[in-house]
Amino acid sequence: MGDVRQLIKPLFTVKNKRKRESKRMRNMSIRKIVLVFIDLITLCLACFASFFLSNTMAIVHLTVSDTYWSLILFTLCNSLSLTLCGTYRSIWRYAEVKNFLLVISSLFLGTSVSYLIMTLLHEMPSNIYMVLAFLLAVFAIVGMRLLYQYIYTAL
């Protein structure tokens, strides 16, 4: 009778281990979805802040209708470049310098692609608008990741 229990016990422990692993994977995928959503909001806010800064400093006078397409292209190109460059693969509670450089380079790539597309479509509002949007996006996204790392280590 004891031999049968020893044979059956590993079957149940493997099943429980799989349940725990699948729960972890679900939590990781939810975290990644939340991170992508936060990045999308951050990119949109960077565009709006760039719009207001460029109008407030009287560098250029942009209307809201000028910036709709640039907002959409900037957000899409940068979110695609963040995904393609693999910034969501690593765990951000152990963020390293190489992860931040990866985020900065992927944002540079996405901003460059969106700038080229807007230039080809003749929808470019101004150059300073894109530079401000890029800088604000870098500071905001890296700042959000640092904040996540700080909160995670503090708890």
Side-chain angles (χ1 to χ4, degrees):
M1 189 73 174
D3 294 333
V4 175
R5 286 185 184 166
Q6 288 177 351
L7 290 174
I8 293 175
K9 189 175 179 180
L11 295 176
F12 291 110
T13 57
V14 169
K15 189 174 183 181
N16 289 335
K17 186 178 179 182
R18 287 182 187 157
K19 282 184 182 179
R20 281 182 275 154
E21 287 176 358
S22 66
K23 188 175 180 180
R24 281 188 205 142
M25 292 304 290
R26 262 184 296 176
N27 288 340
M28 286 301 289
S29 64
I30 290 171
R31 286 180 188 167
K32 287 182 182 181
I33 290 170
V34 168
L35 186 60
V36 169
F37 185 70
I38 288 172
D39 285 348
L40 285 173
I41 291 173
T42 305
L43 289 169
C44 289
L45 289 175
C47 278
F48 282 125
S50 173
F51 169 74
F52 288 119
L53 279 175
S54 60
N55 277 343
T56 304
M57 292 190 299
I59 298 170
V60 291
H61 183 68
L62 302 172
T63 61
V64 178
S65 62
D66 292 337
T67 58
Y68 282 138
W69 289 111
S70 62
L71 172 85
I72 292 169
L73 281 172
F74 182 81
T75 305
L76 284 177
C77 290
N78 280 310
S79 60
L80 282 174
S81 69
L82 284 169
T83 304
L84 292 176
C85 289
T87 58
Y88 300 115
R89 286 189 211 138
S90 62
I91 301 173
W92 278 97
R93 64 180 173 204
Y94 306 118
E96 299 174 353
V97 174
K98 69 177 184 174
N99 295 345
F100 295 122
L101 292 176
L102 183 65
V103 167
I104 293 169
S105 62
S106 65
L107 285 174
F108 183 76
L109 175 70
T111 304
S112 300
V113 169
S114 64
Y115 179 80
L116 288 173
I117 291 172
M118 284 187 265
T119 303
L120 292 174
L121 295 176
H122 303 292
E123 294 288 330
M124 187 64 205
S126 77
N127 293 337
I128 194 70
Y129 171 79
M130 290 301 290
V131 171
L132 282 173
F134 167 72
L135 291 175
L136 291 171
V138 166
F139 287 125
I141 289 180
V142 170
M144 293 297 272
R145 308 273 166 103
L146 282 172
L147 181 68
Y148 175 78
Q149 181 185 13
Y150 176 73
I151 289 173
Y152 192 82
T153 55
L155 299 176

